[in-house]
Amino acid sequence: MKNITLIGMPGSGKSTLGVLLAKTLGFGFVDTDLVIQQREGDLLQNILDKVGTEAFLDLEADAICSVDCDKTVIAPGGSVICRERGIEHLRALGPVVYLRIPCDVLERRIHNMGSRGIAFRPGETLKDIYDYRTPLYEKYADIVVDGDKGSLEETLAAVLQALIGM
């Protein structure tokens, strides 16, 4: 297996689980939000505030398309599925795992919507984003894992089991 990409909503645990998965497999780890910050020389929220949501999504897709790695777990931002070229690039690098989390769980986890660097339009709520993105996560995922059914270790085990079954 060349690479594994974890997709899902902000707060779904992509980065946390991604580091554990990388350690378990002996892979590297890339958080594409950090790639964006390094390329742009600023924090995600500042970039969003400066350029707006649509331009940010284009910058994100550019950054994701620049990712070229091997034996790496990739954790992109939750908006990766908003630009087809970005998610298709990741799909070409290896299997894509969607960490599915119910919206009410995400609402309890995320307390900093306005400063976390989440790509949303003025007036949109987390539920609006969730309803828009969920079908796209399901469309692009090779594997869907329920990320709220147990501990982090149980979710890790479920991801590993699903990858073995591919």
Side-chain angles (χ1 to χ4, degrees), residues 16-66:
T16 304
L17 185 70
V19 169
L20 291 176
L21 183 59
K23 286 182 178 182
T24 300
L25 297 173
F27 278 25
F29 177 76
V30 171
D31 182 326
T32 65
D33 285 349
L34 298 177
V35 173
I36 296 166
Q37 289 185 167
Q38 289 171 345
R39 284 173 60 111
E40 299 301 315
D42 208 346
L43 300 175
L44 282 186
Q45 188 60 55
N46 294 341
I47 299 165
L48 268 163
D49 292 343
K50 284 182 205 170
V51 304
T53 302
E54 292 304 314
F56 174 83
L57 294 173
D58 292 335
L59 289 172
E60 178 182 47
D62 291 343
I64 287 167
C65 288
S66 77

Side-chain angles (χ1 to χ4, degrees), residues 8-157:
M9 285 289 291
S12 63
K14 298 178 301 286
S15 295
T16 304
L17 185 70
V19 169
L20 291 176
L21 183 59
K23 286 182 178 182
T24 300
L25 297 173
F27 278 25
F29 177 76
V30 171
D31 182 326
T32 65
D33 285 349
L34 298 177
V35 173
I36 296 166
Q37 289 185 167
Q38 289 171 345
R39 284 173 60 111
E40 299 301 315
D42 208 346
L43 300 175
L44 282 186
Q45 188 60 55
N46 294 341
I47 299 165
L48 268 163
D49 292 343
K50 284 182 205 170
V51 304
T53 302
E54 292 304 314
F56 174 83
L57 294 173
D58 292 335
L59 289 172
E60 178 182 47
D62 291 343
I64 287 167
C65 288
S66 77
V67 172
D68 182 22
C69 51
D70 188 40
K71 292 192 180 290
T72 301
V73 175
I74 305 164
S79 53
V80 63
I81 42 74
C82 295
R83 293 291 187 266
E84 189 172 16
R85 66 190 169 96
I87 189 63
E88 288 296 347
H89 175 73
L90 293 175
R91 290 181 80 202
L93 296 178
V96 173
V97 179
Y98 168 35
L99 299 177
R100 180 171 48 199
I101 306 281
C103 190
D104 63 315
V105 173
L106 296 171
E107 287 172 340
R108 287 194 302 269
R109 289 183 182 180
I110 299 173
H111 303 287
N112 56 345
M113 276 282 290
S115 62
R116 185 175 169 143
I118 299 172
F120 64 100
R121 290 160 189 83
E124 279 187 320
T125 65
L126 187 62
K127 176 83 168 98
D128 295 331
I129 298 166
Y130 184 89
D131 290 344
Y132 171 75
R133 292 181 183 178
T134 296
L136 295 171
Y137 293 133
E138 292 171 356
K139 173 184 175 180
Y140 291 115
D142 297 303
I143 297 168
V144 177
V145 172
D146 288 319
D148 71 323
K149 299 298 184 200
S151 68
L152 191 55
E153 291 76 17
E154 289 170 312
T155 303
L156 175 63

